[in-house]
Amino acid sequence: MSRTEVPPGTARAVRVRAGDLVRVIDVEGGQVGDVFAFTDSGTEPAEHHSAAHTRAAIDRLFPAIGESFVTDRRRPILTLVEDTSPGEHDMLIPACDPARYAALGAPGHRSCAANLAEALDEIGLSFTGAVPQPINVFMRVPVGEDGRLSRLTASSRPGDAVTLRAELDCVVVLSACPQDLVRISAGRLSPLAIETVHNGGTRS
């Protein structure tokens, strides 16, 4: 097993093979994370996890245990295999970006969109398309009877984790969301971690 620490407000990318397990851990509790997944092919990946295609495939807002996240080509890329958190996650809200913070009066603020580009660059990859809608782990966005969305503070506890199985060779990026102007994360920003386990043993 290998572990990658994701400091508050930053992102890290890991390469995994089909069959590997990827565990996303909320180290201190109450921290939202944006998860992105791209097929691992070439220096500029094109196929990626798609929230819209996933919702269409599973007929729900977020997969249940045993169900898969799919790509924009409708292929399973990650499967949710375990969740020790309260189970409150989101695939409706886009990644925070410079325009979002400019609208909130904080130009230059770190964002998940910029974090994604930085994390991919660190492993020699780039993505020039529109930022994919992420898998927002530990993010509470209930839908009211009137269809209105609420953004509530994350209820995940220290050590809570979501475990995903890679269905394709892929690059997984995790951003410890830097949003501190809207209280989607509890208290101060805190770290996340990624643990990967190769299906045949330890992955270096």
Side-chain angles (χ1 to χ4, degrees):
M1 179 179 70
S2 65
R3 182 179 173 103
T4 301
E5 304 293 337
V6 184
T10 70
R12 296 292 185 271
V14 296
R15 280 188 160 98
V16 294
R17 306 184 192 96
D20 286 359
L21 296 180
V22 181
R23 184 171 296 114
V24 177
I25 304 165
D26 189 351
V27 177
E28 297 180 9
Q31 175 62 48
V32 168
D34 285 32
V35 177
F36 304 87
F38 301 83
T39 55
D40 194 4
S41 57
T43 58
E44 187 172 341
E47 186 178 1
H48 55 82
H49 160 261
S50 167
H53 290 82
T54 298
R55 292 193 298 267
I58 62 174
D59 293 325
R60 66 172 78 233
L61 294 178
F62 198 88
I65 300 295
E67 294 181 335
S68 295
F69 302 89
V70 305
T71 71
D72 54 326
R73 300 180 186 175
R74 302 184 188 270
R75 296 199 297 166
I77 188 169
L78 298 170
T79 296
L80 181 62
V81 296
E82 185 179 19
D83 185 0
T84 65
S85 78
E88 295 171 310
H89 312 289
D90 165 70
M91 286 198 307
L92 295 174
I93 303 301
C96 57
D97 54 28
R100 169 66 168 153
Y101 290 108
L104 290 172
H109 196 287
R110 292 195 66 89
S111 70
C112 286
N115 285 351
L116 170 63
E118 290 178 5
L120 290 175
D121 183 66
E122 286 178 0
I123 62 170
L125 299 178
S126 63
F127 183 75
T128 57
V131 174
Q133 191 169 356
I135 302 165
N136 295 312
V137 293
F138 315 126
M139 186 172 181
R140 298 172 65 199
V141 185
V143 181
E145 291 184 1
D146 61 355
R148 183 171 295 276
L149 304 179
S150 299
R151 303 184 195 192
L152 306 181
T153 301
S155 61
S156 47
R157 303 150 299 199
D160 278 351
V162 172
T163 303
L164 308 165
R165 183 180 64 242
E167 303 299 343
L168 301 168
D169 292 352
C170 59
V171 175
V172 175
V173 179
L174 173 63
S175 175
C177 184
Q179 175 60 272
D180 55 2
L181 305 178
V182 176
R183 288 184 59 84
I184 57 170
S185 292
R188 62 181 180 85
L189 300 179
S190 59
L192 298 174
I194 311 168
E195 290 181 351
T196 60
V197 180
H198 182 49
N199 59 8
T202 301
R203 180 182 174 85
S204 58

